[in-house]
Every structure is written in C-alpha cells, then in structure tokens.
Amino acid sequence: MRRIITFGTFDVLHVGHVRILQRAKAHGDHLTVGLSSDELNFSKKGRNPIYPYSSRSELLSSMRFVDAVFMEESLEKKRDYILQHKADVLVMGNDWEGKFDEFRDVCDVVYLPRTPSISTTEIIEIIRDVNG
C-alpha cells in the first residue's frame, strides 16, 4: 500500500480543494490529511478560520478519496507526522514548491499545480466586500 499525506486548512471548502485532494489520492492507495487546528491557523494567518476544526474535519472525512484526517497542531512537527502516518509521499500545492524538499529523505515529495483563479482568501474577501 502506498500512503500519501498532505496538509492544509481547507477552510471554505471549494473546487480547488476537491481537485487537489483527488489528484493527491491518485499518487497512491491511502490519503491522510493533516488538518490545521484553529490555533495553528490563527498563528499562520492572523485570523481564525471561518469554520471550526470540527466542521472542516467532518467535510474532509466525508470525501470518498480522503481516508483519514488528523489535527496538525504545529508546523515544526511535519517530519513527525510524516513518520507517524508512515507516508510514502507528501503531496502539496505548487505554491509551496521547494519548501518541503527537506523531507525527501523520508518520503517522496510531489508538488501539484493549484486550480487557477480560486483561493479561500479571495472567496473570503469577495464575501466581505459584498456584505460591506
């Protein structure tokens, strides 16, 4: 069995998230998603996610190509998470190109193209503008 791992916040789930997760799963047999905790998201982005961890986890877990979801509590623990989940491949969006190459000693690292013209940040900004 070839195990894939990826990481993200997956807030305001959109088609770009769906597509990258589908393409990640195509790299093996079992896809595990490290989902950023609310606290980690705040420390990374300076804002809380729109949806709490429990809702984001439920949404991801309901996808047929996502086999497992766990809480990512620290960016510094990526290597530990990869080893703990026995990942053969780390898949990330190409906006992170090169940033995870340090893990090539424990797994393959693949960067996938993002879906053009869509991002959670952009969606949130549009909603805020519309609601004034």
Side-chain angles (χ1 to χ4, degrees):
M1 179 182 294
R2 190 159 162 86
R3 296 180 168 275
I4 302 98
I5 194 167
T6 192
F7 296 90
T9 302
F10 300 97
D11 196 16
V12 187
L13 197 64
H14 55 70
V15 71
H17 292 135
V18 172
R19 289 177 183 166
I20 203 160
L21 290 169
Q22 283 177 312
R23 288 183 287 139
K25 176 67 177 261
H27 285 267
D29 307 299
H30 185 276
L31 176 61
T32 299
V33 178
L35 181 61
S36 300
S37 69
D38 296 341
E39 296 78 15
L40 178 57
N41 188 74
F42 187 84
S43 73
K44 288 190 307 189
K45 300 180 180 183
R47 67 168 177 82
N48 286 314
I50 300 298
Y51 294 106
Y53 177 86
S54 59
S55 296
R56 293 180 289 121
S57 178
E58 185 175 342
L59 285 166
L60 288 177
S61 296
S62 73
M63 294 180 169
R64 68 179 176 270
F65 39 83
V66 174
D67 298 295
V69 177
F70 72 93
M71 184 181 292
E72 179 186 20
E73 298 179 273
S74 170
L75 297 175
E76 289 74 34
K77 292 184 178 179
K78 283 241 193 313
R79 179 176 297 274
D80 295 337
Y81 295 136
I82 291 167
L83 294 172
Q84 177 184 356
H85 292 278
K86 298 177 173 58
D88 300 297
V89 185
L90 167 62
V91 174
M92 296 297 291
N94 65 355
D95 52 327
W96 294 100
E97 188 91 40
K99 294 199 169 79
F100 296 102
D101 290 351
E102 67 185 275
F103 304 123
R104 290 190 187 276
D105 63 327
V106 293
C107 67
D108 294 335
V109 178
V110 175
Y111 300 100
L112 298 177
R114 293 173 55 101
T115 302
S117 302
I118 188 162
S119 78
T120 300
T121 302
E122 182 179 310
I123 291 168
I124 291 169
E125 288 174 4
I126 289 168
I127 291 169
R128 283 188 178 145
D129 287 348
V130 168
N131 291 320

